[in-house]
Amino acid sequence: MKLDWIQHLIILPVLLPLLCGALLILINESRHQFKFFVNLTSVLLQLIIAIALIRLTDNDVWMDGIGVYLAANWSAPFGISLIADRLAAMMLLLTAILATAALLYSMMRWSRIGVHFHTLFQFLLMGINGAFLTHDLFNLFVFFEVMLAASYGLVLHGYNTARIRAGMQYIAINLAASLLFLIGVALIYASTGTLNMADLAARIPQVDANDLVFLKIGVAILAIAFLVKSAMWPLGFWLPTTYSAASPPVAAMLVLMTKVGAYVILRLWLLIFSPDAGAVAGYGYDALLWGGMATIVFGAAGMLASEGLGRMAGYGAIVSSGTLLAVIGYGQASLVTAGLYYLLGSTMAMAAFVLLIELVERIRSPGANMLALTMEAFAIEEKPEETAGVGIPGALAFLGLAFAGCALIIAGLPPLSGFVAKFGLFHALLHPDASNILISSTTWALMTLIVLSGLAAIISLMRFGVRTFWASGAIASPRLHLSEVLPISALLLLCVILTVQAGPVFAYLERTSNDLHKPSQYIDRVISEPAVPNASVSGGRP
């Protein structure tokens, strides 16, 4: 048996940004354009690799649509296993898309306001990609730390007072979460003797009662670490401040980082707490469901109370994260399918929104803001001026249309992907997988919260839009660069494509959800992957 060359594609999303980031350290900061070109080349290659992995996992090239890469040629559970399945490939593609958009947006200004932006950006991608591909809890911790260490530098990049204050809070909270991560991993290893996810899922049914207590405690502590990163209430208080303080391209990547925690929860819980897990089957699902619902309430209230777009975006991301956690906790395969569609659309729309914020702020002045608030408070009517023959400048038209598109998707209004996602969620909730399951009050409560969160989003965003585009008086058309307009337009266009191609996308996501709900197939595929015989490495095992 020989290792097929296509299996090496699995490690490239980790290896490529690692090598590129190391190379960029050696290039002088004065060569901005060259560093940007190297960074962009790496990101585009990662985009191509992600597309290739989607095709490989979805076309039965690998058994059961799962590609396994054994690092150092050690079989699981002893070695480090990297796994590419439909879910991991989809998240890699989403990462590459957002990275491309954020990097293009940073070209003219944001990548030049500090040092080592491109190096940190590549190391951030290395950590995110590794978290999606790894199948070992300790290596998941390593990739999380690489991701967080890079994000610390990026959040503080081009520092000012607000950014330093928010950055220090962000760093302190995530360091505490990392400590909890290590404690949880230690307790899980002490109770089961393994950290390989497939081996862990296989051993859990045989864990005795005494060790089961430590396992539950370890998993609960581990979950807190992930839920801090997912901004679950009451652990997500740090997120709005960080979003509003970070530079736009960094904030766009933070949108994705929030979803990394939800991804790990989805991956772990459906694997190790499946119906085959014995005494711990379904452990923690109720906490995820009710915690997710509380997070939706917190995020919706925060959006209504916020005046600035940065904080609105932060609370909008909290609503999105809460919806995903509630979907996972509900424990229904068809709902996971709709939840993954919601993840794709909401992540791209929120990333476009945080990139748009800085462009919208260019047309707002403190005096105009105060005038708009005063006129709204005292119900002052302004006599409209004659507008016949006055055209709308192209930049203002773009900002208005882009703002409206983001608002429609975030609020879940027709006809874009946000509405399709929420319709899919409601359809799954009202049509359980088993016909003998009754629709409970919890189902109606979740549906009500999703509707009310969308209402809160459209109220807060419309209020801001009216004050900015209509009630600010005469506003000058801002100067926009193509590198700023293109990524926002591309993300919104992808949301439109996601809407038009909802059928094929839902079919792919249904296959993804079905795979996640077959843990025994996943376990057998990982554990049975053989090492390559007659492969020797100097100083290693033959």
Side-chain angles (χ1 to χ4, degrees):
M1 174 186 172
K2 296 177 66 176
L3 186 66
D4 197 328
W5 69 269
I6 61 173
Q7 285 186 268
H8 291 293
L9 291 176
I10 299 174
I11 199 172
L12 282 183
V14 176
L15 190 61
L16 183 60
L18 171 62
L19 297 177
C20 183
L23 173 64
L24 288 169
I25 295 177
L26 305 177
I27 302 174
N28 192 281
E29 288 294 325
S30 62
R31 305 184 66 182
H32 294 295
Q33 292 184 347
F34 181 69
K35 297 191 76 168
F36 173 82
F37 175 77
V38 173
N39 196 351
L40 182 62
T41 301
S42 173
V43 171
L44 292 177
L45 286 175
Q46 292 172 56
L47 178 62
I48 295 171
I49 292 168
I51 295 173
L53 288 175
I54 282 185
R55 294 181 62 85
L56 291 170
T57 55
D58 200 41
N59 292 334
D60 296 326
V61 175
W62 290 315
M63 185 185 301
D64 300 322
I66 301 173
V68 182
Y69 189 90
L70 302 177
N73 202 33
W74 284 84
S75 300
F78 305 105
I80 298 172
S81 302
L82 299 180
I83 310 298
D85 61 357
R86 289 185 178 92
L87 178 60
M90 182 194 78
M91 296 304 295
L92 289 174
L93 179 60
L94 181 62
T95 301
I97 290 172
L98 294 187
T100 304
L103 185 58
L104 286 175
Y105 189 93
S106 70
M107 180 177 69
M108 294 303 296
R109 176 187 174 190
W110 296 104
S111 62
R112 305 185 181 192
I113 60 176
V115 296
H116 298 304
F117 174 88
H118 296 291
T119 296
L120 292 171
F121 195 86
Q122 284 296 308
F123 287 154
L124 177 71
L125 292 179
M126 174 196 168
I128 294 174
N129 292 341
F132 291 144
L133 290 170
T134 189
H135 197 67
D136 179 274
L137 287 179
F138 183 77
N139 287 284
L140 179 63
F141 170 78
V142 172
F143 284 122
F144 255 83
E145 290 308 298
V146 172
M147 176 185 72
L148 290 173
S151 71
Y152 298 156
L154 290 172
V155 168
L156 294 171
H157 196 259
Y159 61 88
N160 53 38
T161 303
R163 200 163 292 166
I164 290 175
R165 185 180 297 112
M168 291 299 103
Q169 174 184 265
Y170 172 75
I171 293 171
I173 291 170
N174 279 282
L175 285 176
S178 297
L179 177 61
L180 293 177
F181 197 142
L182 273 181
I183 294 173
V185 166
L187 289 172
I188 291 172
Y189 185 76
S191 57
T192 63
T194 185
L195 293 177
N196 181 279
M197 295 180 192
D199 192 41
L200 177 63
R203 292 191 186 192
I204 278 181
Q206 286 78 43
V207 175
D208 60 48
N210 293 329
D211 289 334
L212 205 59
V213 175
F214 289 100
L215 174 65
K216 289 183 177 180
I217 295 173
V219 169
I221 294 174
L222 191 67
I224 293 174
F226 294 140
L227 294 174
V228 167
K229 295 169 175 60
S230 301
M232 180 176 175
W233 182 86
L235 305 173
F237 61 90
W238 57 270
L239 191 145
T241 303
T242 305
Y243 269 47
S244 59
S247 64
V250 175
M253 296 307 295
L254 289 176
V255 172
L256 177 66
M257 289 176 61
T258 306
K259 302 302 185 294
V260 175
Y263 164 86
V264 175
I265 292 287
L266 176 65
R267 172 74 77 187
L268 277 178
W269 256 248
L270 294 184
L271 179 63
I272 67 177
F273 297 127
S274 68
D276 302 329
V280 293
Y283 176 71
Y285 276 80
D286 288 341
L288 291 174
L289 174 60
W290 290 102
M293 293 169 66
T295 305
I296 295 174
V297 174
F298 174 68
M303 289 194 75
L304 286 173
S306 299
E307 295 291 340
L309 271 185
R311 295 189 68 83
M312 283 185 201
Y315 284 111
I318 288 176
V319 170
S320 173
S321 183
T323 304
L324 291 172
L325 293 173
V327 163
I328 298 170
Y330 197 85
Q332 181 175 312
S334 60
L335 192 61
V336 170
T337 301
L340 291 174
Y341 184 91
Y342 175 81
L343 182 151
L344 291 174
S346 63
T347 303
M348 288 191 291
M350 190 59 69
F353 187 63
V354 297
L355 294 178
L356 186 66
I357 290 174
E358 193 261 335
L359 305 185
V360 172
E361 292 293 341
R362 294 180 188 179
I363 67 175
R364 287 166 56 85
S365 65
N369 295 344
M370 184 60 66
L371 177 61
L373 289 171
T374 303
M375 294 178 66
E376 179 180 324
F378 292 96
I380 300 173
E381 295 186 4
E382 182 181 13
K383 182 179 179 180
E385 298 179 359
E386 183 63 39
T387 59
V390 178
I392 300 176
L396 287 178
F398 166 76
L399 293 179
L401 290 174
F403 183 87
C406 291
L408 289 175
I409 299 171
I410 293 171
L413 296 180
L416 297 179
S417 59
F419 173 76
V420 177
K422 291 190 176 181
F423 185 87
L425 291 173
F426 293 161
H427 183 272
L429 288 168
L430 295 175
H431 296 81
D433 293 341
S435 58
N436 60 340
I437 298 178
L438 299 176
I439 300 174
S440 65
S441 57
T442 303
T443 303
W444 292 111
L446 178 57
M447 292 175 61
T448 301
L449 289 179
I450 293 175
V451 171
L452 292 179
S453 66
L455 181 62
I458 199 61
I459 289 173
S460 57
L461 292 173
M462 283 184 63
R463 179 181 62 196
F464 184 91
V466 167
R467 291 174 181 171
T468 302
F469 296 102
W470 289 345
S472 297
I475 52 179
S477 178
R479 297 185 62 183
L480 304 180
H481 195 273
L482 181 62
S483 65
E484 298 170 331
V485 172
L486 185 60
I488 297 172
S489 303
L491 289 174
L492 291 177
L493 178 60
L494 287 173
C495 290
V496 173
I497 295 174
L498 201 64
T499 306
V500 175
Q501 297 295 318
V505 173
F506 262 98
Y508 177 86
L509 296 178
E510 184 177 7
R511 295 191 291 274
T512 302
S513 177
N514 290 337
D515 290 343
L516 291 173
H517 287 84
K518 296 176 182 177
S520 58
Q521 172 182 290
Y522 194 86
I523 294 168
D524 293 341
R525 179 71 184 89
V526 176
I527 299 298
S528 63
E529 179 71 14
V532 180
N534 302 321
S536 60
V537 179
S538 178
R541 182 179 64 90

